[in-house]
Each structure stands twice: as structure tokens, then as C-alpha cells.
Amino acid sequence: MKRRIAYLIIACIPLLALVIYINNIFAEIKLYNIDMQLKSDEALVHKLEARILERFSKSEQDVTFIATYLGQNLAEAGSLSISDSQAIKNVMNNILPSFLNVNHAYQKISFLDKNGNETLVATNNKVQIMAPVNKASEDYFQGVIRHRAGEVYVSFDGNSVLIASPIYNDAKFFGAVVLTLQKENLLKELQGDTKDKVMLIEDTGKYILTSNQHPGRDFTADYSPEVLDTVKTSTAGHTEVGQGTLLTFIPLKLDDHKWFLITQADKGVITANTLVLQRQLMVIIVLTFAIILGLLGLWSLSYGKVLKAERLRMENDELANLNSQLRRKQTELEEQTAVVEELNAQLEDESRRYHQQKDTLQAIIDSVGMGLAMTDTTGKSIFMNKVWRRIFRYAQGNDGDIRTFAEDNLVADHLIQNLVAGATNAEQVSEEIKELRDNYEEHYRAELEYKESTHRYCRISSVPCRATDGQALGRIFLFRDITRFKEIDLLKSELISTVSHELRTPMSSIMGFSELLLTRQLSPERSRQYIEVIHEQAERLTKLISDFLDIQRMESGKQVLDKQRLDFVEIVNQAIELFSNTEEKHRIVFESSQGRSLYIHADHDKLLQVMSNLLSNAIKYSPQGGEISIKVMAQEGMLQAGVSDHGLGIPEEARTKLFSKFFRVDNDDRREIGGTGLGLAICKEIVQAHNGKIWAESTYGEGSTFYITLPLAEPVLSKPDSTTKIQTVESDDANNGKGTILIVEDDKNLVNLSETVLKEEGFVTYAVSTGEDALELVGQVDFKMIILDINLAGRLNGWDVVKTLKEKEKTANMPVIISSIYENSAESQSQGISNYLVKPFKPEQLVNVVHKVMRENVEAQMWMQGEESLDEHVQNILRRNGIKVKELKRTDSILMITLDGES
Amino acid sequence: MFLQGLKEIERENRLKKILVADDEKSLRMLISGTLEIGNFLVAEADNGQDAWKMVSEEKPDLVILDVMMPGMTGYQVCQLIKSNQELQKIKVIILTAKGQQADKEAALEARADYYIAKPFSPAQLLSVVEDILGEQ
């Protein structure tokens, strides 16, 4: 508030100064105006003086002219007297009017006689000559007569100004002419266009002329005696009388009169214009001031707001400034950000690459198949891989608890406490590892043997780790379970020793005997005996080598099987043939439940080798002789053959190793029985290569039975009718196929897939997309089965096809596999169809179902042909469905089935 | 009966008695044949147990042991002999098909007197046997 007042005061100062200044100016103007007025007044007075003097001068001329003229005329007329005035009258009549009429300056022209009587008066109307009416005052007359001819006497009689000139006739005073001036005209003439009051006064203060409309008694009455004194005492000048009234005066030199010409100027009038202007200006200034004050008031009122607005504006400016700075900064920042972002992107890129590399490295390190950990130079762990963790867990024998490796201060401690613990040589190794901490350069390796639950070997090794610049980074520990390597090592050395033993033994005999034969004199009997041994051992060696090579080839997967369709019964007979002549104390009995050919897909020579090996073993290990029986049967698509003897049997503990290489049951009772120990190993390899199994059942001391199973080959089917009219039919060489299958399916892709899969399995396939085509084709081709889609392209659907098939005798028993997108429906059960594939199905599912149906069909046909009893058939079916049959009894048409278990 | 016969002969001729233990018939035949040439009494065993039984019963002068024998290995038999106060004087030759250093060491560890690797020369065998028995 104080500040506002201060502002107001400060604002008023120039205003006041302005007012004062303007006032001064006006004062100056006023003074100047007055000065000018005074000058003009003086000029006026002088002008008036000139005018009045001119008037008087004219009047003097007039009067002198008239006087002269009159005088002359009087002289001509001779002694003219006033009484002779007729003559004068005549003269006068001639000239006077012209004087009177010109300018109407004269009120009257009169003629005074020598006595001073007024004898002739001319007014503007007429010239009258009259008897002396009036006698001029003595003073006046005396004044006139004092003058000589040609002179003029000017006087004021109190009312009028008189101008007289004496007339002389012959130097004798004759009279005088008197002009009475017209006062009004004189004043008018004098005043001219002057607006000021004009006065002509006597020194007594008596007015001679005054332009005042209502003059007072005299000048002193109107003004004051002091003013009159001033006028009288000064030669010329001004005097101020009263407020605003200025008198300008000048003495009029006219004869001996002391007359004064005075003008009165009203100062108020003089300064009126200036004052008006001043007043207007003052009004304007005051108004301006008022407006300014008002504005100031307003400003004062709105000061806060203004101030606030100002502050706001300033703040705004500041803000704008800041803003621009900010924007600049922002721009800079943005540029920097862009740079940073670019760097960031590069960094991210690098980081990603780094992480990828790291991941790759981690993955590599994780997949090295051994525990890997790293310690820094102080022995603190800094890294470990997955395997290490796993091994650690293994070493701890605690499956659930995986401690984070970082918790362990030192790998060595960790190793000693957890990994080394339990090893037979734990103490030694832990000491050695402890020492490693002080010896960073040392390459360390130790093997740990664990004999707890399982016998295991582990190898721990440690090498110093250096960066590429040679700086020591720490130490890398590798921990590896080498049990398998140890085992392999062991196996290898065992194999080598076995082989060398097996080779050296016959070689020893051969060399020894041959040496004896060469160096000693021997009896012929002994020589022969020795040569026989040599031969025998050489044969043994040959056999061993060939067996060994065989098994080596088989094990390395290089066995080449020449698979053909073979009758297994035939092979058994051939094997029996090999031994029939050599062994007489054994009787070989061959039983085949099928009684006729059983086809398998196999390598003839290899299978013969298997059967002869088994037979040879049976013979060898039943040294007392006895019956050796071979039983062959078909079961669930598999052929099973058993070779039984009543020989030594196999001890319990030996059975697991029976099929291992070079394994031979060592017992007193079979010491003399020769063999390479490879026979059963070879059998196993061959059977497995044929997708079969081999095992042995034995009772020690009573005999053994060796079983093999092999998959049966599908019966050969006849070639489909090549004259079929249907174009979609694809024909394969049916002789090589397992059977012909009709695929009824409208999905092309599924058809392709099914066909591919089934062809791989050795089937011939036909494919149609409608039920109608399917039924037509069924009439022409002998199909093993139909794979039938339910939703078909044509008029008939799958169920219609099934119904039609069931109605016809020829096709009533044709197996049908339903392939549908729907779950196995009630309808399929009602139609007696149990083979159901829900789309989408895997190729294996299709193959499995097809094989299953095939087997069932073969068995059914066998049964129908009487080759398998009904009972067996039932039993097989039940077994396939997971039901164990204990007993089957039949009485006429009733079949009693006793199931295994409580059922 | 065979041993009884031997005893008689030994008694008469004071021939050195040698036990041959090998599971391989042909080798036993070869060794026996060789030793017979050298005029030794030879007995045979085809496994470790029999060999040990015969050694403790018959107390031969020399035992020729095959390493790879069923029942007991040659090393085991050798160890039994050498750790038996009564029998430790009996000389032992280890005869094995394993011609490796490890086997040699194993033989010496079992305190065998000699080691012969297969295949061996009958003459070498004979001279070794004669050397060993001649020391006595």
C-alpha cells in the first residue's frame, strides 16, 4: 500500500510541474499580450491625435477659407457691415452649404459681427441671416479678436468645440466666422473603428468628447482626481484605473488649450482570450489529471491484480525462458538420448551376443558330460555346471537336496566333505586337493572308488586356468563318473585275456605237440595221438576265430541278413540232419504243433546256425545222452521253438551270464566239454537281429530248455484281379505283399498317408472314395480287410457299406476297421465291429490295428480249417484280452472256461 | 588206483613227482607227455580244488599250475601251497596263457618259483623243471 501511495506521489509530481509550467507560460503570454495592448493603445492614441489634428486642421482651413472668402467679398462690396449682410448672405449661400454638407462635420457655421453678435447662422438646412440674436461671450469674443486674419481660434464653450477665424477688412476687424463642430460626427470620426473608449477632456476634467454612453459629471467623477492629475502631469502614458481598466493618454497641442486625449482599454477584454484559452487548457489539464488520477486510482485498485498479473507475466516470462532453456536442454538431451540409445542398442546387441555366447558356452559346458567347476585363485568357487550339481547330488546320496554351489567357500572343502567322502581313498585325495590350494600350477588327477550301494569309480582332475594373456584365473575342477569306462576297460582287458587264453591254449597244444613230434622219437601210436590232438586243436582254433569274427561283426551291427521267406520247420529238419549221424546216444525228437510249414522271414544260414548251436549245446551238455526234443509252435503271430535236453542243466548263478561272450559254465561235470564260449552269444545276436527273443529255462542237474521266438511271416496272398475296371485301383505285386487292403476314404491326404504306411508294411492297398465304388470293388478283388470311413463322398455312408457286406455270404466275415472322426459309437458295437480308429490317428496305430486284425483273421481261418482247436482259439482270444485261462472243458456244445484267479 | 600205482613206482625209483593242473585236456596231455620223457612221475588235476587236494595229500616235488582254472585259479592254489608251512617247500611253476607283465607279477606275488607263458616249448618246460628240481 505504501508503495502504491509512493507511486501515486511520484506520478503527481510531473503533473504538478506541468501545471506550474503551463501557468507560467500563460502568465508570460498575458504579460506579452498586455504589452502588445499597451503598444497598440499608444499607437491608437497617436492615431486619434493625428485624426483630431487633421480635423482641426481641415476645420481651420475651412474657417480660414470662409473668412478669407468673406473678407474678400466684403472688401469688394466695400465696407460691408453686418447689416449689409445680404451680400454676405448671398456669398454664404453660395459656399456654406458645401461646407455644411461635406461630412456633416459642422453643426453650424455662424458669423459674428464686430461686436460679437451672432448675425448669421448657417445650419445644415439653411443659411439664416438674422439680427444679432446672441452675443458671444466676452471671453470668447476676446479670444477671437486676439487672433489676426488667417489665424484660428479653437475653443470649447462647454458644449461644443468652436473654431473661429477673424475676418479683417482692410486690417479692420470686421467680424469672425465661427464653425461649431458636430460633436457626434467629430467623435465618430475620431473613434473610427476603435472599440476602446475615447475621451477628450479639458485640464479641468471636463469632457469635450466622450464615447461613454453615460458619462458622469466629469472625468474625475468617472475616474478620480488622482487619475486626472496623472494625465495632466505626464506627457503621455498609461495608467491603470481600477481592475482591468487601462487608460492611455496624450496631451493634445492645440493653441493654448490643455486638452487631453484619453483612451480606455479594458484589460479584462485584453486578456480575455488568453484567459479563455488558459482556462480551457487548465480544464484539459485538470481533466487529464483527473483521468490520470482515475487511472491511477484504477491502477491503485487493480494494483494487486496488476502486480499479480505482472508477477505472473514475469513468472511467465521466466517460465518461458526456462521453458526455452528446457527445450534447448531437451533437444540436447534428445540428441544425447539418441546417442545413448544407439549406444544402448549396440550394448544390447553386444549383450545379446554376449548372452548367446554365454548360453552357448554354458550349454557346451553343461553338456560336456562331466562335472565342471571353477574356483578363483583364492579357492572360492565361481562357476559350476549342471553335471557337477548332478554328480554332487549323486555323491551326497540325496536326491532332493541340491545345495547351491556358491554357498561353499571352497571347492576343495566341498569336494572333501561331499564328493570325496565315501571313497575308499578319500583321505589321500582330500589331502592332495587341499594341497592344491597352495600350488596353482599343479595338474592334478585322482581316481575315487566308491563301494557303497553301487561300485563306482570317479575321476577328479584339476588344472590351472589361465586367461589368454597368461593371467591366472583360478583352477578348473573336473569330476567325472568313470565307472562305465572302468567297466569297459575291465571288459576289454577281460576280453583280451580271454581271447588270448582261448587262442594260446590250442596254440600251446599245437606247438608243444608238434615240437615233441619234431624233436623226440615217439612211438607211432603216440605220434598219431599227438597229431590228432594237433588237428583237433587247429580245428578248434579255426572255429574260435570264425565264431569270434562272427560275433564281432554282429555286435558292430555289420551283420548282413539275407532275409527270405523260409519254412522254419525245414530249418529245424536241416539242423537235426547235421547231428543225426554223429551222435548215437542221443535221440532227437521234433514236434511241431502246426504240423506243416511255418513261415518266417529270415536268413537261412543264420537260423540254421542258431538251431545247430542249440542242438549242439543240448547234445554236449547231456553227456549221458537221452532224448533231445524240439518243439515248435505258433502263438500270437510269433513262432516259438524250444530245444530241451535232459542233461546237466545250468546252475542258477550262471543263467544271467549264459549269453555273454566267452562265458562257459565251469563245473566238474562239464570240464571235458569243449567250446569257445561264443555259441550262445552268437545265437542271441542272430535271434535279436530277427526281432526275436532267446532265453533258457533249466533245472540244474535235470536239463535245460532253450527257447527262441521269431515273428511269423504273413501267409502269401493271391494277386488281385488285374482286370478290375476301377481306375483308382493301385496294384502292387501281391506276391510280395502281406495282403490286399481296401481303403474307403474321401480325404486324399489320409489316403496317401495310409497307403504309404501300409505299403511299407508290405500290404497292397486299393483306395476308393465312395461306398458304391467300395462295394463294386469288393465283388472283384479278394480283400483281407477294409479300412472304412463313415462319412463318405457318395450316397452311401460307412454303415451302409458295412450292412451290405454283412448281408453277402462272401463278404460277411471280411474284417472291417472303422476310421472315423467320432468316438467308437454304439452303432459300431451293434455291427460287431471292434476295430475302431478315431481320427486323427498316428500311422503306428493304423499299422497296429491292421496287424491285429490280420492275426485274428489268420487264426480264425486256421480254426475254421480245423488246424487249431476251437478251445485253443477261445483261449487265445481270451489271453489277448488280458484274461488268463486256467482250464477249458467242453462237453458237446458247452464250453466251460475256468479263469485264473478268483474270476 | 592211478596214484597208488605212482606211489609204488616212486617208492621204487625215487622219481620226482610232479602234479600238473590244467583244465585243458590237450595241454595236460602235452605236459604229461613232455615230463614223462624227462622221467618224472606225473599226476594230473583238471581244476584248482582237485589240485590243492592232491598237493596236500600227495605232496609232490613240483606243481605246474595253469592260471585259468575253474574252482580256484593257479595263483590261489600257489598261495595256499606257499602259505602252508608243511607244503611251502613244494616248487610251483605257474603256467598261463596270459603272457603279460601283470601275470608275471601276480605269479611272483603268489610266490611261485617260476613262470612259463603259453605257448611254451616242451623242451623249455623240461629244462625249467629239471633245473628247479635239480636245485634240491
Side-chain angles (χ1 to χ4, degrees), chain B residues 84-103:
Chain B
N84 188 309
Q85 207 116 47
E86 214 181 320
L87 305 172
Q88 64 185 354
K89 280 186 283 176
I90 297 169
K91 301 288 178 188
V92 178
I93 294 174
I94 298 278
L95 189 63
T96 179
K98 295 183 176 176
Q100 286 155 356
Q101 187 61 30
D103 297 314

Side-chain angles (χ1 to χ4, degrees), chain B residues 3-5 9 24 26 33 43 47 58 67 83 88 90 98 101 103 119-120 125 130-131 134:
Chain B
L3 285 170
Q4 273 172 350
I9 296 165
E24 200 66 39
S26 64
N47 67 70
E58 301 295 329
V67 172
S83 52
Q88 64 185 354
I90 297 169
K98 295 183 176 176
Q101 187 61 30
D103 297 314
F120 59 89
L125 175 69
E130 276 168 352
D131 276 1

Side-chain angles (χ1 to χ4, degrees), chain A residues 399-417:
Chain A
D399 281 353
D401 180 31
I402 304 173
R403 279 171 59 198
T404 55
F405 190 62
E407 288 169 18
D408 296 306
N409 275 340
L410 300 169
V411 167
D413 288 345
H414 164 79
L415 276 170
I416 293 157
Q417 285 162 20

Side-chain angles (χ1 to χ4, degrees), chain A residues 203-417:
Chain A
D203 56 354
T204 58
K206 203 166 183 162
Y207 287 119
I208 301 165
L209 290 171
T210 176
S211 59
N212 199 344
Q213 296 288 321
H214 310 286
R217 186 175 42 84
D218 59 7
F219 184 78
T220 51
D222 282 341
Y223 299 96
S224 69
E226 289 77 25
V227 176
L228 184 63
D229 285 344
T230 309
V231 171
K232 276 156 73 174
T233 53
S234 307
T235 50
H238 308 281
T239 183
E240 223 179 316
V241 283
Q243 185 67 35
T245 307
L246 190 71
L247 294 182
T248 307
F249 53 90
I250 187 170
L252 199 65
K253 288 171 186 147
L254 207 65
D255 286 345
D256 51 351
H257 296 303
K258 287 190 174 174
W259 290 359
F260 297 94
L261 190 63
I262 299 167
T263 58
Q264 182 193 331
D266 193 351
K267 207 165 69 173
V269 175
I270 295 166
T271 57
N273 289 340
T274 319
L275 280 173
V276 167
L277 189 65
Q278 190 181 7
R279 210 169 296 132
Q280 283 171 351
L281 262 172
M282 288 310 284
V283 167
I284 288 166
I285 286 165
V286 168
L287 274 176
T288 309
F289 185 59
I291 288 166
I292 288 168
L293 267 183
L295 285 173
L296 280 172
L298 276 176
W299 169 74
S300 171
L301 279 174
S302 61
Y303 178 75
K305 286 174 187 176
V306 170
L307 212 62
K308 204 177 277 174
E310 176 70 8
R311 215 168 28 235
L312 278 174
R313 196 182 55 77
M314 276 170 65
E315 280 170 6
N316 207 23
D317 285 355
E318 216 167 304
L319 277 175
N321 194 22
L322 282 174
N323 207 19
S324 69
Q325 281 182 11
L326 267 175
R327 215 165 292 137
R328 219 170 30 246
K329 289 273 173 197
Q330 196 182 352
T331 317
E332 278 172 36
L333 263 177
E334 271 167 13
E335 283 165 11
Q336 286 170 354
T337 306
V339 173
V340 167
E341 267 171 14
E342 199 181 325
L343 285 173
N344 211 17
Q346 284 177 6
L347 263 178
E348 264 173 29
D349 217 36
E350 288 289 324
S351 170
R352 200 167 44 245
R353 253 205 306 281
Y354 164 74
H355 279 289
Q356 274 174 1
Q357 285 176 351
K358 200 184 149 204
D359 288 351
T360 310
L361 279 176
Q362 181 75 48
I364 290 168
I365 290 167
D366 277 347
S367 50
V368 289
M370 62 181 87
L372 190 151
M374 191 175 164
T375 61
D376 61 13
T377 49
T378 66
K380 255 183 200 146
S381 59
I382 51 176
F383 176 81
M384 65 187 282
N385 74 349
K386 259 186 200 165
V387 188
W388 184 280
R389 292 166 204 265
R390 211 177 59 222
I391 292 171
F392 176 29
R393 184 177 62 179
Y394 155 73
Q396 264 197 330
N398 186 348
D399 281 353
D401 180 31
I402 304 173
R403 279 171 59 198
T404 55
F405 190 62
E407 288 169 18
D408 296 306
N409 275 340
L410 300 169
V411 167
D413 288 345
H414 164 79
L415 276 170
I416 293 157
Q417 285 162 20

Side-chain angles (χ1 to χ4, degrees), chain A residues 497 501 504-505 507-509 511-513 515-516 520 526 529-530 533 537 540 666 668 671-672, chain B residues 24-30 33-34 36-37 46-47 68 70 97-98 118-119 121-123 126:
Chain A
S497 69
H501 179 262
R504 277 168 202 264
T505 304
M507 282 310 290
S508 297
S509 299
M511 287 180 75
F513 284 117
E515 190 189 301
L516 285 177
R520 305 286 166 174
R526 188 152 276 210
Q529 191 192 358
Y530 284 2
V533 173
Q537 293 299 320
R540 181 181 158 187
D666 273 322
D668 295 346
R671 194 111 314 133
E672 300 303 322
Chain B
E24 200 66 39
K25 190 186 169 187
S26 64
L27 278 177
R28 282 204 306 274
M29 215 169 117
L30 176 65
T34 307
E36 273 161 23
I37 293 164
D46 66 356
N47 67 70
M68 304 284 276
K98 295 183 176 176
K118 290 185 211 172
S121 142
L126 201 55

Side-chain angles (χ1 to χ4, degrees), chain A residues 56 107 140 154-163 178-183 186 200 208-209 254 259:
Chain A
F56 281 117
Q107 197 181 345
Y140 181 70
V154 178
S155 67
F156 179 62
D157 66 355
N159 291 311
S160 310
V161 176
L162 306 173
I163 296 167
V178 178
L179 299 178
T180 304
L181 289 175
Q182 177 75 25
K183 239 176 155 180
L186 178 63
L200 188 67
I208 301 165
L209 290 171
L254 207 65
W259 290 359

Side-chain angles (χ1 to χ4, degrees), chain B residues 40-54:
Chain B
F40 294 105
L41 277 178
V42 180
E44 293 181 15
D46 66 356
N47 67 70
Q49 277 99 338
D50 284 359
W52 169 241
K53 213 189 282 170
M54 284 169 73

